[in-house]
Amino acid sequence: MDEERALYIVRAGEAGAIERVLRDYSDKKLCEGIFKVLIKDIPTTCQVSCLEVLRILSRDKKVLVPVTTKENMQILLRLAKLNELDDSLEKVSEFPVIVESLKCLCNIVFNSQMAQQLSLELNLAAKLCNLLRKCKDRKFINDIKCFDLRLLFLLSLLHTDIRSQLRYELQGLPLLTQILESAFSIKWTDEYESAIDHNGPPLSPQETDCAIEALKALFNVTVDSWKVHKESDSHQFRVMAAVLRHCLLIVGPTEDKTEELHSNAVNLLSNVPVSCLDVLICPLTHEETAQEATTLDELPSNKTAEKETVLKNNTMVYNGMNMEAIHVLLNFMEKRIDKGSSYREGLTPVLSLLTECSRAHRNIRKFLKDQVLPPLRDVTNRPEVGSTVRNKLVRLMTHVDLGVKQIAAEFLFVLCKERVDSLLKYTGYGNAAGLLAARGLLAGGRGDNWYSEDEDTDTEEYKNAKPKEELLKPMGLKPDGTITPLEEALNQYSVIEETSSDTD
């Protein structure tokens, strides 16, 4: 039985016949036979069948070693329309062949080091970008875009050199951002603002998968951008951040897909220079401002603190700014805390993002302070006891994972404008001791960063309880061996050192 006869039986799809063929031919020989058939002029259906078998076989690294050659890679590039710069994607009948070829290339590149090297030699990244440009505005070929993007992600993951090529030579940042715009059907209302339809349908499964692959590829392209970007890049990063804001405000076909979409958006936002994250919030329109004023007037006059944040027509508003995206990030963070596992991978990215946003942007910090550390009314329970976001974050301050507890403490410290007295008010001394010791602030004071001097008002409940709260103070040993408040002990040692210095 020759290869063509064997492949004909495989294409026929009869289980017993397929088993006999696979027993007669080794996987290696079958792979070789498939490539020999693919170079011939055969019907599209036969091409698809051959590629489907090759995709399954290409999951085995042992099979790939002898068949991963430059000639065979070029066969797949031709079938995937990656060799033809001027060829348009008009023949719908060819789309299944293109998709299956891209799937095969994904498996082969992932499993074969030789294929990875050949990808560089064949300039595969540039070919993939050219294919993306052909189909970036064509929604009916989402499968082609999805696997093109997946292959681009794999290449940029496995080869750091390709990241630089994508970023600068191939203009990958604007290209991939436009792919996201297309997937989300974004309509711009201003330079960095898009129209959000809260009652619109969710993304389709295909659009969601395509967006997730684009987000992953963009992450690799921008992985070092926060520390090396130029001022001239700011516009492009702001456009990307505005697209990611839109991403946070829409949903996928299922709850799990929405979480995966938002998780990748959070990871990518972490690569955006913090100065460009101001587009995550935006001023209200004239109509929204009028609605906010009406809502504020409807609140009782004794609810002063609550007037700062209002919800109108599904829009979270604070100090005249639309805070929907930040509110989504806060809810995302709380869900990750509630999961109770994989904190380092699942929680620290969003916590780090919120921390940097709060440190750099006053309105974001004030909104998050209002949501996470509202005026203290419950003064009877310990800070870590309860189900509020503050309680959950305080519990993380003593987590066994050093990285998790550090970022949780840092977030709360920034919300308190890096003031020790304010942090202790909301977390208690024992929970904050680790961060204060690391910062050299056990005796009080504040951090190195400057924050606005807006007032942190105390509730009547806290004012009444404050005189009774000094049950735990940092203590130290005086020169005579007795225990005293740490600040007093340090002062006495300072006096002794000065006296000793004068004597010398």
Side-chain angles (χ1 to χ4, degrees), residues 211-432:
I212 288 171
E213 295 300 334
L215 289 168
K216 288 158 59 177
L218 266 171
F219 179 86
N220 287 345
V221 172
T222 61
V223 70
D224 295 322
S225 297
W226 62 275
K227 60 183 179 182
V228 297
H229 86 288
K230 301 175 183 177
E231 190 61 33
S232 58
D233 297 331
S234 293
H235 168 69
Q236 188 57 54
F237 278 112
R238 279 194 162 85
V239 171
M240 187 175 75
V243 171
L244 294 176
R245 177 184 182 274
H246 189 101
C247 176
L248 292 172
L249 300 181
I250 56 178
V251 295
T254 64
E255 187 175 344
D256 286 345
K257 275 296 180 183
T258 299
E259 182 172 356
E260 184 181 359
L261 182 69
H262 289 178
S263 178
N264 281 285
V266 167
N267 291 340
L268 182 52
L269 279 168
S270 300
N271 289 350
V272 176
V274 70
S275 61
C276 299
L277 292 175
D278 54 347
V279 300
L280 291 178
I281 61 176
C282 55
L284 300 183
T285 63
H286 293 301
E287 294 79 6
E288 290 172 330
T289 302
Q291 291 173 349
E292 182 196 18
T294 302
T295 306
L296 287 172
D297 290 339
E298 292 170 356
L299 290 175
S301 58
N302 63 341
K303 297 288 186 178
T304 306
E306 286 82 348
K307 280 191 175 186
E308 293 293 334
T309 306
V310 296
L311 184 64
K312 187 71 173 178
N313 295 338
N314 294 322
T315 301
M316 184 66 65
V317 177
Y318 182 86
N319 198 23
M321 304 295 287
N322 185 321
M323 293 288 180
E324 289 179 281
I326 303 301
H327 194 247
V328 170
L329 290 173
L330 185 61
N331 288 337
F332 180 86
M333 178 200 74
E334 187 171 10
K335 286 180 182 177
R336 288 295 171 95
I337 294 176
D338 292 341
K339 278 190 173 182
S341 60
S342 302
Y343 280 157
R344 181 173 286 273
E345 299 80 13
L347 177 61
T348 54
V350 67
L351 259 179
S352 298
L353 175 63
L354 289 174
T355 301
E356 293 308 313
C357 283
S358 300
R359 183 176 278 125
H361 302 288
R362 178 174 179 265
N363 276 321
I364 294 178
R365 175 182 57 77
K366 292 189 69 176
F367 171 74
L368 288 170
K369 170 76 181 300
D370 185 71
Q371 298 292 305
V372 177
L373 302 175
L376 198 58
R377 301 188 185 282
D378 180 7
V379 293
T380 58
N381 292 316
R382 295 171 63 85
E384 66 271 22
V385 176
S387 58
T388 67
V389 182
R390 173 177 76 103
N391 302 141
K392 295 172 183 178
L393 285 167
V394 171
R395 286 197 288 272
L396 289 179
M397 293 174 77
T398 54
H399 195 271
V400 293
D401 188 304
L402 181 61
V404 172
K405 72 178 183 180
Q406 283 178 339
I407 191 58
E410 183 76 9
F411 177 51
L412 293 174
F413 195 41
V414 169
L415 293 188
C416 294
K417 296 186 292 187
E418 301 191 20
R419 285 172 45 187
V420 173
D421 57 343
S422 181
L423 181 68
L424 296 182
K425 167 183 167 181
Y426 289 104
T427 69
Y429 186 83
N431 294 312

Side-chain angles (χ1 to χ4, degrees), residues 49-311:
S49 297
C50 290
L51 290 167
E52 286 174 344
V53 175
L54 181 62
R55 170 167 53 85
I56 294 170
L57 294 173
S58 62
R59 297 170 185 167
D60 187 342
K61 294 182 179 180
K62 295 178 181 178
V63 173
L64 288 176
V65 172
V67 297
T68 304
T69 65
K70 186 175 182 178
E71 292 73 20
N72 287 343
M73 287 284 286
Q74 288 175 323
I75 291 171
L76 292 176
L77 296 184
R78 175 178 57 80
L79 293 172
K81 298 294 182 183
L82 290 171
N83 269 347
E84 302 162 58
L85 295 177
D86 299 323
D87 189 50
S88 60
L89 300 174
E90 298 297 338
K91 295 182 180 179
V92 177
S93 60
E94 294 179 342
F95 290 177
V97 175
I98 299 173
V99 171
E100 284 300 326
S101 299
L102 289 170
K103 289 180 180 179
C104 289
L105 284 168
C106 285
N107 284 354
I108 292 170
V109 168
F110 181 73
N111 287 316
S112 167
Q113 289 186 347
M114 176 60 73
Q116 293 164 22
Q117 292 300 319
L118 287 171
S119 298
L120 293 174
E121 183 180 336
L122 295 168
N123 202 12
L124 181 54
K127 299 178 188 300
L128 290 169
C129 287
N130 286 329
L131 181 59
L132 278 179
R133 290 187 176 92
K134 295 178 192 175
C135 60
K136 67 180 180 183
D137 295 320
R138 310 268 293 280
K139 288 194 172 184
F140 56 89
I141 48 179
N142 269 329
D143 282 345
I144 295 177
K145 285 193 286 189
C146 185
F147 289 102
D148 184 307
L149 289 164
R150 183 170 298 177
L151 186 50
L152 205 56
F153 162 72
L154 287 172
L155 287 174
S156 57
L157 177 69
L158 297 167
H159 286 285
T160 55
D161 291 345
I162 287 181
R163 298 176 193 172
S164 179
Q165 182 192 16
L166 275 172
R167 174 73 187 281
Y168 300 106
E169 177 188 335
L170 302 176
Q171 294 296 300
L173 184 56
L175 173 62
L176 293 170
T177 301
Q178 288 167 10
I179 293 292
L180 285 176
E181 288 184 49
S182 175
F184 299 147
S185 301
I186 288 180
K187 296 178 181 178
W188 296 104
T189 59
D190 205 340
E191 188 175 22
Y192 304 122
E193 294 179 35
S194 61
I196 303 293
D197 183 3
H198 293 287
N199 298 318
L203 289 177
S204 69
Q206 294 82 5
E207 289 168 337
T208 306
D209 289 340
C210 187
I212 288 171
E213 295 300 334
L215 289 168
K216 288 158 59 177
L218 266 171
F219 179 86
N220 287 345
V221 172
T222 61
V223 70
D224 295 322
S225 297
W226 62 275
K227 60 183 179 182
V228 297
H229 86 288
K230 301 175 183 177
E231 190 61 33
S232 58
D233 297 331
S234 293
H235 168 69
Q236 188 57 54
F237 278 112
R238 279 194 162 85
V239 171
M240 187 175 75
V243 171
L244 294 176
R245 177 184 182 274
H246 189 101
C247 176
L248 292 172
L249 300 181
I250 56 178
V251 295
T254 64
E255 187 175 344
D256 286 345
K257 275 296 180 183
T258 299
E259 182 172 356
E260 184 181 359
L261 182 69
H262 289 178
S263 178
N264 281 285
V266 167
N267 291 340
L268 182 52
L269 279 168
S270 300
N271 289 350
V272 176
V274 70
S275 61
C276 299
L277 292 175
D278 54 347
V279 300
L280 291 178
I281 61 176
C282 55
L284 300 183
T285 63
H286 293 301
E287 294 79 6
E288 290 172 330
T289 302
Q291 291 173 349
E292 182 196 18
T294 302
T295 306
L296 287 172
D297 290 339
E298 292 170 356
L299 290 175
S301 58
N302 63 341
K303 297 288 186 178
T304 306
E306 286 82 348
K307 280 191 175 186
E308 293 293 334
T309 306
V310 296
L311 184 64

Side-chain angles (χ1 to χ4, degrees), residues 429-458:
Y429 186 83
N431 294 312
L435 178 137
L436 298 180
R439 293 289 196 95
L441 295 171
L442 283 170
R446 64 185 307 165
D448 298 329
N449 293 289
W450 180 90
Y451 297 87
S452 60
E453 293 298 331
D454 43 289
E455 187 179 357
D456 184 16
T457 56
D458 291 334

